[in-house]
Amino acid sequence: MERIDNFFKKFHGGYFVFFGVAIFLIGLVIAILVEPNFSFFIHHISDMGAPTNSNYVIFNICWIITGFFAIIFFIDFTRYLQNKGANTKGIWLCFILGSVSAFSMILLAIFNKIDSPDMHLNSEYIFFFTGILYLIIYALIEFRIPEFSKLLAISNLIVAFLFALYLILLILNKISPGLCPEFQSFAEWLFLFGNLAWFVEDGIYSLKR
C-alpha cells in the first residue's frame, strides 16, 4: 500500500481519468469523421471499432488505453473514499466491479462486433451489469458521507439509469430484432457521454483533498 500511496502522491488518479477521457474522445472523433453518413440514431459505439470503419484500429487502441486508465482511477478513488470514512467493504466492492467493468471495456475493443460477435456481446453484458452495480453502490456510500457532494451522489443514479436503459433496450432487441433501433442507438450515446461526464466530475472532485 505504501508504494501505491507514493505513486498517487506523484501522479494523481484524477489526471489519469482526464487523459483517459481525452484519449477516448480523440479516437472517437477520428472514427466518426471517416464513418460514412454517421448518425447518433443509426450507428453504435461498437461500429467505430469494427473493421467497417477505416480508423477502427486507432479507435480501439484509444479505447484500450482508456480502460487501463479507468482501472488506475478506481484504485485512487477507492483510497479517496476510504480517507473520507466510507464503508471499507463497500468501496472495495465498487473497486472490483469498476475494474471488471473497465476490463470488459478493454475486451470490447479487442473483440470487435464483426470478427468476434459473441465475445463482444458477452463483454458488453458484463460491462453494463457491473457498471449499474458499482454506480448504485457508490451512490449509497456517498450519501452517507456528510461532506460529500450530494449532487455527485445523485449523478451516480442518473448514469446508472442510462446504463440500465441501454441494457434493457439491448436485451429487448436481441429478443425482438428491429425493435426501436434508432432509440437504442441514441440511448447508447447518451450513456456514453453520461459515463464520461461521471468520470470527469469524480476526477475533479477527487482533486480536492
Side-chain angles (χ1 to χ4, degrees):
M1 288 299 292
E2 185 177 347
R3 288 184 177 180
I4 294 175
D5 290 337
N6 290 334
F7 175 81
F8 284 115
K9 284 179 182 178
K10 296 179 180 179
F11 309 101
H12 196 289
Y15 296 131
F16 282 96
V17 81
F18 302 150
F19 286 127
V21 170
I23 289 170
F24 178 83
L25 289 176
I26 290 170
L28 178 63
V29 169
I30 292 173
I32 286 176
L33 289 176
V34 299
E35 185 69 30
N37 302 315
F38 173 81
S39 171
F40 289 115
F41 294 95
I42 297 175
H43 294 89
H44 289 267
I45 301 165
S46 297
D47 293 327
M48 305 300 104
T52 50
N53 186 291
S54 60
N55 279 333
Y56 81 102
V57 173
I58 294 175
F59 176 73
N60 285 332
I61 290 173
C62 293
W63 205 345
I64 290 169
I65 293 172
T66 300
F68 279 117
F69 280 6
I71 293 173
I72 296 173
F73 171 72
F74 278 122
I75 296 172
D76 188 50
F77 196 55
T78 299
R79 294 171 60 258
Y80 171 72
L81 291 177
Q82 198 167 25
N83 291 335
K84 290 287 186 180
N87 180 279
T88 302
K89 291 181 180 179
I91 56 176
W92 281 107
L93 175 60
C94 283
F95 166 71
I96 293 171
L97 291 170
S99 297
V100 170
S101 184
F103 184 70
S104 64
M105 182 170 70
I106 294 171
L107 293 179
L108 283 168
I110 295 173
F111 301 100
N112 68 71
K113 64 184 289 185
I114 292 179
D115 295 329
S116 306
D118 292 338
M119 189 63 186
H120 187 86
L121 180 61
N122 290 332
S123 299
E124 197 169 8
Y125 284 139
I126 295 171
F127 172 78
F128 281 98
F129 275 121
T130 53
I132 292 168
L133 290 174
Y134 78 70
L135 286 165
I136 292 175
I137 298 172
Y138 268 141
L140 295 174
I141 291 171
E142 292 168 4
F143 274 123
R144 295 179 181 178
I145 302 175
E147 68 272 24
F148 200 89
S149 169
K150 296 300 180 282
L151 288 176
L152 280 180
I154 292 171
S155 73
N156 290 296
L157 299 177
I158 295 173
V159 179
F161 169 77
L162 296 176
F163 265 72
L165 175 63
Y166 176 71
L167 180 60
I168 291 170
L169 291 171
L170 175 66
I171 294 173
L172 288 176
N173 197 261
K174 293 301 176 184
I175 297 172
S176 178
L179 180 66
C180 300
E182 297 87 358
F183 187 42
Q184 182 189 355
S185 298
F186 189 64
E188 184 178 28
W189 290 104
L190 280 179
F191 129 74
L192 171 66
F193 293 118
N195 194 31
L196 293 177
W198 179 86
F199 274 110
V200 170
E201 66 181 5
D202 278 286
I204 293 172
Y205 196 80
S206 68
L207 293 175
K208 304 173 182 178
R209 307 200 177 191

